[in-house]
Amino acid sequence: MEKEIKKNDDLGLLNIDTSLYKTRLSNKFLNRKQYRIPDPRLVLSFIPGTVLKIYIQVGQEVRIGEDLVILEAMKMKNQLKCSTDGKIKRILVKEGDKVSKGTLLLEIE
């Protein structure tokens, strides 16, 4: 017996490099977490570790490339630098805090 081919109702559009393809989309694909462009005003930990040093204070003006925080992970000291000009809105951690990957450390306005 041959399998029945499903109607075109089951087909969805897939956009790859601005070309649209009509294809079947799996549930895994339809339920995936959508990609969001990272907000440069939110500084997140990129690795689990310990906050060793905080160089900035709330209300301080910062420039691109300026040191913000040292995050120690696996005996390595990682300097987190500012990726945008602005003013420190709030700092959500303190020195000595252990943070997991993706933890919001501070906000820039």
Side-chain angles (χ1 to χ4, degrees):
M1 295 178 115
E2 293 182 26
K3 293 183 181 178
E4 289 184 30
I5 297 176
K6 294 184 178 182
K7 295 180 184 177
N8 286 341
D9 297 345
D10 294 340
L11 299 179
L13 290 177
L14 181 63
N15 184 348
I16 300 176
D17 295 330
T18 68
S19 296
L20 292 177
Y21 299 92
K22 194 176 261 192
T23 185
R24 287 190 185 88
L25 302 175
S26 68
N27 284 333
K28 182 177 179 182
F29 178 80
L30 293 172
N31 296 326
R32 76 192 184 285
K33 183 177 178 183
Q34 295 290 328
Y35 175 76
R36 281 193 240 158
I37 297 172
D39 186 350
R41 296 171 297 160
L42 302 177
V43 179
L44 306 173
S45 64
F46 64 95
I47 192 169
T50 304
V51 177
L52 279 187
K53 179 83 173 149
I54 299 175
Y55 290 109
I56 41 87
Q57 298 173 354
V58 174
Q60 180 180 335
E61 295 284 334
V62 290
R63 301 254 178 233
I64 293 175
E66 192 173 327
D67 290 338
L68 300 173
V69 175
I70 291 183
L71 184 63
E72 182 184 34
M74 301 184 301
K75 297 184 182 180
M76 293 179 61
K77 294 178 179 148
N78 302 286
Q79 289 186 338
L80 303 181
K81 297 190 177 278
C82 191
S83 61
T84 184
D85 292 340
K87 185 161 73 167
I88 302 298
K89 183 176 180 180
R90 62 186 185 145
I91 301 171
L92 299 156
V93 294
K94 59 186 184 308
E95 292 180 5
D97 283 357
K98 294 187 186 298
V99 295
S100 59
K101 180 180 177 181
T103 301
L104 180 60
L105 303 175
L106 56 102
E107 286 185 54
I108 300 171
E109 56 180 353

